[in-house]
Amino acid sequence: MWIWCAVASALMLGIYDVFKKQALAKNSILMVLFASTSLSALFLSPFLFTELLEHEWQLVLKSAIVTISWVSGLAGMKYLPLTTAGILKAFRPVCVVLISVLLLGERLNLWQICGISLAFVALFMLSSASSKEGIRFTHSKGFFYMCISIVSGVCSALLDKFIMQDMPPLYVQSHCNLYMTLMMALVLLGNAFWDKKTSVRFVFDWRLIMIAVFITGADFLYFYGLSLDGALLSVISITRRLSVVVTFILGAILFSERNVARKAISLAILLCATILLVIGS
């Protein structure tokens, strides 16, 4: 059951990424994020009126980490083609393994070594394909932002496993969205105060509603699947990264992006690397 929740969550995440890319054409990064999190918090507001649990600080911490991940991820998506940004986001499972090795002292087995090696091959090929579009990873703001988003996203995923042991899924989701909305409101106010030249003008876009709908559904399926008996965080996290396939296909069709064939090879290699990591884990 939990694996199908992860698959359905991945499909919704892929569509969510496409709507985010489109919404950035009319509104700023901060405004898109504030509007979508506010709507998500509104959808989940009936679940807010429950007694606060003992470990509420964990949700505040998670909300701060997710806010960093989302802001940097949207910034990366704004400066990169959707096909490139989507593939970069799929490197999260590789980061989980690397963090486990560097910080937790874990040793890699042969499957994992092969998987990480293939992932770096995919990254090199993606860099080569992107350079033909005038994007050089070593000098790209978009790539830098995506790296921040990936690392903070990994930290959030590692925290989820501990949170879901003590709290119901809808409680976690509703309170995190509320805290993220408050944090984004503070960021918007701070941005307006320090940079008065930057417009905080809001333009209504129906895609903002779709962003909120799809991320709410995707997160619910993720949290619910993670709360089920026998659920494995590593497998769920990797399965959710399959959203890159949806993002890649729709990005290539809707935005007519270049070098799709070369990027598709990078994506195929990365998926093979992911499979090896699953086997090795």
Side-chain angles (χ1 to χ4, degrees), residues 4-20:
W4 292 112
C5 288
V7 171
S9 179
L11 293 175
M12 297 189 77
L13 277 179
I15 300 173
Y16 155 77
D17 276 341
V18 173
F19 280 123
K20 279 197 305 183

Side-chain angles (χ1 to χ4, degrees), residues 100-150:
S100 298
V101 172
L102 296 175
L103 299 183
L104 303 180
E106 294 184 0
R107 291 189 175 184
L108 297 178
N109 56 42
L110 182 59
W111 292 105
Q112 292 170 322
I113 292 174
C114 291
I116 289 181
S117 299
L118 275 181
F120 280 109
V121 170
L123 181 61
F124 173 78
M125 293 188 65
L126 179 62
S127 175
S128 176
S130 298
S131 67
K132 296 184 180 298
E133 300 175 88
I135 300 171
R136 296 189 179 277
F137 284 172
T138 53
H139 298 85
S140 170
K141 289 192 297 185
F143 179 70
F144 174 73
Y145 288 133
M146 287 304 300
C147 287
I148 296 176
S149 179
I150 290 168

Side-chain angles (χ1 to χ4, degrees), residues 164-211:
M164 297 311 300
Q165 293 175 356
D166 302 315
M167 304 184 193
L170 283 172
Y171 181 93
V172 172
Q173 189 176 0
S174 59
H175 283 77
C176 280
N177 273 278
L178 174 62
Y179 296 143
M180 288 175 62
T181 300
L182 295 176
M183 290 176 186
M184 284 307 307
L186 292 175
V187 171
L188 275 174
L189 288 174
N191 184 69
F193 178 78
W194 290 108
D195 188 3
K196 294 182 174 58
K197 294 182 180 180
T198 301
S199 173
V200 291
R201 181 176 60 92
F202 173 72
V203 178
F204 175 76
D205 188 344
W206 64 271
R207 295 177 185 85
L208 296 173
I209 300 176
M210 300 309 296
I211 290 172

Side-chain angles (χ1 to χ4, degrees), residues 2-3 6-7 10 234-243 274 278:
W2 57 268
I3 189 63
V7 171
S234 57
V235 177
I236 289 178
S237 297
I238 290 173
T239 302
R240 270 171 51 101
R241 288 307 103 209
L242 294 178
S243 62
T274 302
V278 171

